[in-house]
Amino acid sequence: MGQLYLDYLDGDNIYICAKCKAHLTNYNYLLSKAFRGRGGKAYLFTKVVNIESGPKEERLLLSGIHIVSDLHCKNCKTVVGWKYDFAYEESQKYKENKFILEKV
């Protein structure tokens, strides 16, 4: 097994993994704070780092059915949110290829 390389972001408002503190994204990539995750508040971002995507699956969310993949912290493997891979409804297409990080 090789060395694990993590990206580190510049700036003051860095969003990190709650378990291991790995950098995930920063405020510059924030699109909206008006989302709900499995356990409460969630934020929509345009870019994240230090994550691995799980398999794509169809999931019924508050805004309808989407194809999503869970996001796992690359360092500690904790599920930190999901990626919108596909939206069936035209009004939800803006979420495609965007990332939800859940606030804990």
Side-chain angles (χ1 to χ4, degrees), residues 42 77 96 102:
K77 310 302 183 214
E96 289 182 346
E102 298 180 272

Side-chain angles (χ1 to χ4, degrees), residues 4-10 14-17 20-26 29 45-53 71-76 78 80-81 99-101:
L4 179 66
Y5 291 97
L6 298 175
D7 290 317
Y8 292 91
L9 302 168
D10 293 328
I14 305 296
Y15 292 83
I16 60 173
C17 173
C20 73
K21 311 299 186 229
H23 288 194
L24 299 176
T25 191
N26 70 31
Y29 302 118
F45 291 92
T46 58
K47 179 181 175 182
V48 294
V49 297
N50 299 323
I51 58 101
E52 296 172 339
S53 293
L71 301 176
H72 303 264
C73 173
K74 184 163 65 170
N75 189 47
C76 69
T78 300
V80 294
F99 307 90
I100 287 288
L101 293 181

